[in-house]
Amino acid sequence: MPYTFTAAPSSRVTKPRMKNPLLKRTSSSPSSMLPRRKPLQRAQSKPENGEREDEPCRLDNLGIVTSLAGISTPSNSVQIINHIKARIYDDIPERGGMNSTRIAEVLNFRRNLPSVTTSAHMHALSNSSTTMEREIASLMIKGVLRKVIIPGRGIGGSSIGEVLVLVEDWVLLIKEARLESQIKGTFSLPEGNSISDKSLDKYIEYLNASPLASVIPKAFFTASEATALMQAGFLTSLSPYTNSTNIFTRPYNASSSTLTSIAYISKAASGSEAAIGGEGAVHGVGGGGPAGLRVDDFKRELSLEDPGQPIIKGGGDFQLSLPNIGSFLKLLTSARSHLMFLLSKSKYNEAPLYLLRERWDGGVAADDPAAKSMNLKGQFLGVLPGRTRKWKQFYGLKFDWVLAECFGAGLVEVFETRSVGRSVRAV
């Protein structure tokens, strides 16, 4: 250990260095001599009605749109019906993510649906509802147009229980049924109930003779003819339990006087007909088909015109119908409900028209040149159309067609805005 090391601390004293006062900077402004204070913190203004600044506000309304008719929309009722029928579906996309089996299902579903138009869609494309109703009534008297009423689906322009069909389209369906009957021989019906040319001729004769009638007397057809026409979809039994209850009514809000209400069914014996609404319950809620008209319930008697042929003595009269009309109403109802659901996703139940269209299409890939070039390389943008609900459930229904249905039924209203163009609001 060196002798210079001791345990005592060092006695060296350090003094702070003196700063040169000449190097100190001074400000010549008079405000530098004032005492400094902290800036006042002003309270931020709170938004009114308790809303946040990032939340969307209501769209400005510059006026309600009274009609969806465009420049290319005709003014004649017959031409409007043809215009609607030609613009109900979108074309099958080339790269839609659907195989050949699915494409065949979509095309067959479209082909099997009847060529009908709702009254609500007609009012959506007309400038005057009164003029449209008068023209429809005039065409019905002339035998050019017919109105088909579906029991249990409501009445009036806002319901889906009234559809319009051109008589020429109706006759075309009958001719197709006759051709199919000749090809298959039995028209896919049980033996003895095949549809005949005589029954189809009588059916067309009644359409031409009674342009305003929607009911055919029970004695007009024989039992075999009526059964064949009902199974083909051209007739339904006129059930006495039909009503005009809204199909969107909740079960507990239904009238207790109907045979399909919960109050009535809950008191019926299990396994009985009353437990399911009684005979004709399907027709009471708007269904179709041959239910309610059974061969073992027929009371037969001899016809004076054609002895030996049984005619229907009971079961009530028949109502005119179209094949697969139930599938069309089901598609229409689900499409309306889905569009209203998409609209409810936006605050205040309103959205710009372009945004609502994008939601209906499902956010599919863009159709610009850049997206097409990436598709050629095998790189897809967005969702393939075949995987969206528009093609999986609605078979390619156009957005404009569904919007016109909701607009004519009074479910939505269309209005103009300054910044985003036309917008849609739920009523």
Side-chain angles (χ1 to χ4, degrees):
M1 176 182 296
Y3 292 99
T4 58
F5 179 80
T6 60
S10 176
S11 60
R12 181 180 297 177
V13 178
T14 59
K15 296 181 180 180
R17 296 180 179 181
M18 297 296 295
K19 296 182 179 180
N20 191 356
L22 299 177
L23 300 178
K24 186 177 180 181
R25 296 181 181 179
T26 57
S27 176
S28 59
S29 61
S31 60
S32 61
M33 304 300 295
L34 298 176
R36 294 186 178 182
R37 298 179 181 179
K38 294 183 179 181
L40 297 178
Q41 296 182 354
R42 298 182 179 179
Q44 298 181 355
S45 60
K46 298 182 179 180
E48 298 180 358
N49 301 329
E51 298 179 358
R52 297 180 180 178
E53 294 182 356
D54 56 346
E55 290 184 353
C57 57
R58 283 185 175 273
L59 299 174
D60 51 342
N61 189 352
L62 298 182
I64 300 296
V65 177
T66 58
S67 176
L68 297 181
I71 301 176
S72 60
T73 305
S75 57
N76 187 13
S77 297
V78 178
Q79 296 178 356
I80 290 179
I81 294 178
N82 294 327
H83 176 83
I84 295 173
K85 293 189 303 180
R87 289 165 175 80
I88 181 173
Y89 299 111
D90 278 329
D91 296 333
I92 303 290
E94 296 181 0
R95 295 177 177 266
M98 296 182 291
N99 54 16
S100 58
T101 304
R102 178 56 184 169
I103 293 177
E105 292 177 358
V106 172
L107 295 178
N108 288 331
F109 180 85
R110 294 179 178 182
R111 185 180 63 87
N112 293 330
L113 287 185
S115 300
V116 297
T117 305
T118 60
S119 302
H121 206 139
M122 296 287 292
H123 290 296
L125 300 183
S126 62
N127 296 321
S128 175
S129 299
T130 304
T131 305
M132 178 63 65
E133 286 292 341
R134 290 177 180 176
E135 190 172 355
I136 290 175
S138 177
L139 292 176
M140 291 176 60
I141 295 175
K142 295 178 182 178
V144 179
L145 191 66
R146 293 191 72 97
K147 180 179 292 186
V148 182
I149 300 176
I150 296 89
R153 300 282 181 162
I155 55 176
S158 61
S159 69
I160 60 174
E162 294 182 2
V163 295
L164 303 174
V165 56
L166 297 175
V167 176
E168 58 181 9
D169 293 337
W170 203 326
V171 175
L172 182 60
L173 288 176
I174 299 174
K175 292 181 179 179
E176 291 179 356
R178 175 178 298 176
L179 180 61
E180 189 173 356
S181 177
Q182 293 175 356
I183 294 175
K184 293 185 178 181
T186 60
F187 194 61
S188 300
L189 297 178
E191 185 176 357
N193 292 334
S194 60
I195 191 169
S196 61
D197 293 341
K198 181 180 178 180
S199 60
L200 293 177
D201 292 337
K202 292 171 63 176
Y203 191 89
I204 296 176
E205 179 184 354
Y206 186 83
L207 291 179
N208 297 330
S210 305
L212 299 178
S214 60
V215 178
I216 298 181
K218 59 184 178 181
F220 194 80
F221 294 106
T222 63
S224 59
E225 292 175 348
T227 304
L229 288 173
M230 291 183 70
Q231 294 188 6
F234 292 104
L235 287 179
T236 58
S237 63
L238 186 61
S239 174
Y241 310 120
T242 57
N243 51 64
S244 59
T245 306
N246 190 349
I247 63 172
F248 296 102
T249 305
R250 297 182 182 272
Y252 49 80
N253 290 336
S255 175
S256 59
S257 60
T258 60
L259 297 180
T260 56
S261 62
I262 296 180
Y264 180 86
I265 294 177
S266 60
K267 299 178 182 179
S270 177
S272 61
E273 286 188 352
I276 59 174
E279 184 178 0
V282 176
H283 294 272
V285 295
L293 183 65
R294 298 177 296 183
V295 178
D296 55 349
D297 291 338
F298 292 157
K299 298 179 181 179
R300 304 174 183 273
E301 65 177 11
L302 296 180
S303 174
L304 299 178
E305 298 179 357
D306 190 5
Q309 291 291 333
I311 65 174
I312 297 176
K313 180 63 178 177
D317 297 334
F318 305 112
Q319 190 161 4
L320 296 174
S321 181
L322 289 170
N324 300 319
I325 188 66
S327 301
F328 173 80
L329 297 179
K330 182 180 179 181
L331 179 67
L332 174 60
T333 305
S334 58
R336 284 185 180 183
S337 302
H338 184 58
L339 186 66
M340 298 303 296
F341 169 74
L342 295 178
L343 192 58
S344 65
K345 289 186 175 182
S346 299
K347 192 175 182 180
Y348 308 114
N349 291 334
E350 60 183 14
L353 192 61
Y354 74 89
L355 179 60
L356 191 60
R357 185 191 303 272
E358 182 180 350
R359 291 177 181 176
W360 175 264
D361 293 336
V364 296
D367 199 17
D368 55 307
K372 290 182 178 180
S373 62
M374 295 190 67
N375 292 340
L376 294 176
K377 299 177 182 178
Q379 301 176 359
F380 298 96
L381 298 176
V383 182
L384 293 176
R387 298 184 179 181
T388 59
R389 183 171 296 188
K390 173 183 177 180
W391 288 96
K392 292 174 63 176
Q393 182 178 351
F394 303 118
Y395 300 92
L397 276 178
K398 283 188 174 182
F399 168 77
D400 295 332
W401 188 88
V402 183
L403 178 63
E405 288 288 342
C406 295
F407 180 82
L411 302 177
V412 299
E413 63 180 9
V414 182
F415 58 97
E416 297 285 353
T417 61
R418 289 190 182 91
S419 56
V420 294
R422 285 191 173 183
S423 299
V424 185
R425 179 190 296 119
V427 177

